[in-house]
Amino acid sequence: MPTNPQTQKTYKPDPRFKIAHKEAKIGIALAIFNFIWWFGFAYGLGNRPPEQYTYTFGLPDWFFYSCVIGFILMSALVIVITKYALTEVSLEPEPDQQKEDSQTP
Amino acid sequence: MNIQVIIPLIIFLLAIFAVGFIASKQMGGKTGFLQEYFLGGRELGGFVLAMTMVATYGSASSFLGGPGTAYTVGFGWILLAMSQVVTGYFVLLILGKKFAILARKYNAITMIDFLKARYNSSAVAILSALAIIIFLFSAMTAQWVGGARLIESLTGLQYTSALFIFAISVLVYVTIGGFRAVALTDAVQGAIMVIGTLILLIGVIIAGGGVPAIMQDLLNENPRLVTPYGADGSLTPAYISSFWILVGVGVVGLPQMAVRAMSYKSSRAMHRALVIGTIVTGFIMLNMHLIGIFARPVLPGIDVGDKVIPLIALEVLPPWLAGVVLAAPMAAIMSTVDSLLLLVSSAIVKDVYINFIKPEATEKRIKQISIGVTALLGTIVFLLALQPPDLLIFLNLFAFGGLEAAFIWPIVLGLYWKYGNKYGAILSMITGIASYIAIHFYNTTNGNLFGVHTVTLPILLSLIAYIIGSLAIQRKAFRF
């Protein structure tokens, strides 16, 4: 088990940081995907003359796919990633104390 | 103004009061007063964390200005607004667990505490405290003016009386309840925003005869309203996309968001907040801006953008329901103001007073000072908002973009890049703010440089400054 890094003579990064770094990369990947989806549908479909737009639930197609579906898709992705790709770790300064609360109000 | 509109607003204010009061009773002394008052004892759960982030971030601009612009320029502005969905997951994933762990390890209560420990530099702390106090103080005053104007237009009260009601409502619960009261009232306010926008959207769609009919009216009036390019075709993809920085990923650099990323109690709370925050942000933004554009055929000819939401609510809803719905922009403004008030107060008390003036202050003294400074700040803001000085309005222009350009790299690279050091951080903050102000002036006279929003270039320049400053002067790896 790792001991308190502050008392260690040789520096070893906190193993929880590896998890944190992975999750930050997931955040960047999500944002890039979000941007491409948003931009692609908005300007891919939206640059036609308005007479050629089709309408879904009354909304212009570029908007419906870019913003409505895009939002629903991102929410679904965040749910899935939170459930399967993120790891629960203790946030306490000393990682030995694994007293992660299991209840949130 | 109709008494039926005012009653729900009064009930709303009383409810907020009650929640703030209950929160203040919960302030236990187990983790020390400062941590309790400015950080809620790091005990936020997932729902409250998500709501306080959304509500703090969603301000007068997303509830009055944004829909008003959508009314004028059409679907292009909703496209722009939807870039904000990213804030729901990005801030928490990027700052993430590392920020929360390090903040606990450094015993950091404010974002500046974190920067001070990370860079081991008083200069970084002073510079950040100054930036926060100056810019967020101005932003806060501008929001108070917005809040008072809203009360004024809804109730017909004089501006001064409206401002007084607004000031008292916010001041009381922030001063006595601290961060916990702010977070809990934010949660209530966030819930009101969700419900209010949904009711109003449904009301507008019914009044317009259904979405296809509204769309046909818009097409008949000006087909460009339903394109992504704006009513006059002037919204370019580059300009709209650059808002991904200002209101999207750049939000990670705002101190009021960063401090929330160190306030949650467990990683499970953070996971829940990711999901709730993303869904709630997207839902509110989509609804609010759709209301703005749908209002156009229903109630044509509104000149002042900020009035679209109040007017359409009074037009399409029964008065009492309009009162409930109009509590939503009220909630948006209050939840932003309360967070800024506490943040500026924490910068003065913790980052200036305790760090530099009187580190040996007793717990009792700290308590008096914290409550005193918060109340005093609120009073000064109230007095300034009576007749906002030009300087303040001017500073407010730089508040969000300027702070993003100043803080984004010192925070993010400070977390993830071991070679980042104080020289880089200082150079980055100065470059960020100075170039933001310079480019702002260039853009106002010459049109947008490279066709993008002012914030874009300063963020790039401050990145370059951070890297150069860190590597050029002292290249040494930091041990987190």
Side-chain angles (χ1 to χ4, degrees):
Chain A
M1 287 299 280
T3 51
N4 183 355
Q6 278 158 348
T7 58
Q8 269 179 325
K9 287 279 173 276
T10 51
Y11 171 71
K12 246 207 232 137
D14 192 319
R16 289 172 299 174
F17 290 166
K18 216 174 153 183
I19 295 169
H21 292 187
K22 188 189 94 183
E23 295 182 2
K25 282 177 197 147
I26 291 175
I28 295 171
L30 270 177
I32 292 173
F33 173 78
N34 194 171
F35 179 78
I36 293 172
W37 182 280
W38 172 92
F39 190 95
F41 278 105
Y43 294 104
L45 292 175
N47 69 358
R48 298 168 300 162
E51 305 83 61
Q52 291 179 19
Y53 292 169
T54 55
Y55 294 84
T56 317
F57 297 116
L59 297 166
D61 46 9
W62 66 266
F63 177 80
F64 181 76
Y65 289 107
S66 168
C67 295
V68 181
I69 297 293
F71 162 50
I72 295 170
L73 180 70
M74 285 319 293
S75 305
L77 270 177
V78 170
I79 292 172
V80 170
I81 282 172
T82 304
K83 194 153 187 186
Y84 298 106
L86 303 189
T87 321
E88 282 194 25
V89 298
S90 158
L91 302 174
E92 295 311 312
E94 295 186 32
D96 293 13
Q97 302 172 334
Q98 292 294 343
K99 55 160 199 137
E100 181 71 359
D101 291 288
S102 55
Q103 283 178 341
T104 39
Chain B
M1 184 53 64
N2 200 324
I3 189 77
Q4 292 182 43
V5 181
I6 298 175
I7 290 173
L9 283 174
I10 294 173
I11 295 174
F12 161 71
L13 285 181
L14 290 176
I16 294 297
F17 249 62
V19 171
F21 191 72
I22 292 166
S24 77
K25 289 280 160 210
Q26 284 181 356
M27 271 213 287
K30 61 178 172 179
T31 51
F33 175 78
L34 274 178
Q35 181 148 313
E36 271 294 320
Y37 193 71
F38 289 123
L39 213 49
R42 293 188 220 273
E43 280 182 343
L44 293 199
F47 177 76
V48 175
L49 174 64
M51 284 312 214
T52 183
M53 291 189 93
V54 176
T56 297
Y57 174 66
S59 62
S61 66
S62 16
F63 276 78
L64 298 170
T69 315
Y71 177 92
T72 316
V73 307
F75 273 92
W77 207 259
I78 319 183
L79 179 66
L80 182 154
M82 288 310 279
S83 63
Q84 296 172 88
V85 172
V86 71
T87 60
Y89 55 87
F90 196 74
V91 174
L92 279 177
L93 275 176
I94 295 301
L95 297 180
K97 289 154 192 163
K98 193 167 184 183
F99 192 58
I101 292 169
L102 286 177
R104 280 169 166 78
K105 201 159 140 186
Y106 301 155
N107 207 10
I109 287 167
T110 64
M111 187 195 84
I112 298 174
D113 280 342
F114 168 78
L115 292 178
K116 188 167 177 257
R118 166 63 180 82
Y119 294 109
N120 191 19
S121 157
S122 299
V124 171
I126 293 190
L127 203 61
S128 324
L130 277 180
I132 287 180
I133 293 169
I134 294 173
F135 288 115
L136 286 188
F137 186 81
S138 318
M140 176 163 66
T141 315
Q143 292 279 333
W144 284 52
V145 174
R149 290 258 153 81
L150 186 67
I151 296 191
E152 185 189 22
S153 71
L154 293 179
T155 60
L157 283 170
Q158 291 276 310
Y159 175 74
T160 315
S161 334
L163 186 67
F164 189 73
I165 292 179
F166 185 78
I168 291 290
S169 327
V170 175
L171 257 179
V172 170
Y173 71 79
V174 179
T175 304
I176 60 170
F179 188 87
R180 201 187 291 268
V182 169
L184 280 179
T185 52
D186 280 2
V188 176
Q189 286 154 343
I192 289 173
M193 295 184 212
V194 171
I195 297 163
T197 56
L198 184 62
I199 294 174
L200 188 52
L201 180 64
I202 294 169
V204 175
I205 292 176
I206 293 171
V211 182
I214 293 174
M215 215 52 62
Q216 199 52 50
D217 289 337
L218 291 171
L219 279 168
N220 292 342
E221 193 203 332
N222 177 1
R224 278 180 169 164
L225 286 168
V226 302
T227 71
Y229 301 102
D232 57 358
S234 65
L235 296 175
T236 64
Y239 181 69
I240 299 269
S241 299
S242 65
F243 277 81
W244 269 73
I245 298 174
L246 184 71
V247 297
V249 295
V251 168
V252 102
L254 289 177
Q256 62 269 42
M257 298 303 267
V259 73
R260 280 163 173 67
M262 52 168 86
S263 68
Y264 51 89
K265 80 171 170 191
S266 63
S267 47
R268 181 171 293 203
M270 172 200 154
H271 295 173
R272 272 186 79 170
L274 276 170
V275 173
I276 299 170
T278 306
I279 294 173
V280 171
T281 311
F283 186 80
I284 291 180
M285 294 302 164
L286 189 62
N287 284 355
M288 215 55 210
H289 291 82
L290 277 175
I291 293 166
I293 177 71
F294 287 174
R296 194 176 172 92
V298 179
L299 203 62
I302 303 174
D303 300 327
V304 184
D306 283 5
K307 289 195 172 159
V308 171
I309 291 295
L311 288 177
I312 194 74
L314 293 169
E315 168 79 18
V316 303
L317 298 174
W320 66 272
L321 198 53
V324 173
V325 165
L326 289 172
M330 200 67 220
I333 296 173
M334 281 175 91
S335 56
T336 303
V337 163
D338 59 13
S339 316
L340 295 185
L341 178 60
L342 200 66
L343 193 75
V344 175
S345 168
S346 76
I348 293 174
V349 175
K350 179 71 178 65
D351 303 321
V352 179
Y353 179 76
I354 296 179
N355 278 351
F356 296 108
I357 300 175
K358 216 173 165 82
E360 72 277 16
T362 61
E363 180 91 359
K364 196 175 158 223
R365 185 94 188 103
I366 292 173
K367 191 171 175 177
Q368 290 167 341
I369 294 268
S370 304
I371 292 175
V373 165
T374 311
L376 184 70
L377 267 176
T379 315
I380 297 175
V381 175
F382 170 72
L383 293 174
L384 285 174
L386 282 174
Q387 209 166 20
D390 290 342
L391 176 68
L392 230 144
I393 304 290
F394 172 78
L395 287 170
N396 178 46
L397 287 176
F398 310 118
F400 281 20
L403 284 177
E404 285 176 5
F407 287 119
I408 187 166
W409 304 118
I411 296 179
V412 173
L413 289 181
L415 269 181
Y416 292 105
W417 191 44
K418 60 184 176 187
Y419 289 113
N421 62 29
K422 61 181 173 184
Y423 305 106
I426 293 170
L427 199 62
S428 175
M429 283 194 259
I430 295 174
T431 309
I433 293 184
S435 62
Y436 193 92
I437 294 178
I439 292 174
H440 170 81
F441 282 118
Y442 178 90
N443 286 353
T444 8
T445 46
N446 304 319
N448 288 327
L449 187 61
F450 305 128
V452 292
H453 187 274
T454 313
V455 77
T456 318
L457 246 67
I459 292 246
L460 272 179
L461 293 175
S462 62
L463 171 63
I464 296 167
Y466 187 92
I467 295 173
I468 291 177
S470 295
L471 293 180
I473 299 173
Q474 189 188 43
R475 189 187 166 121
K476 187 162 170 268
F478 180 79
R479 292 178 168 187
F480 288 98

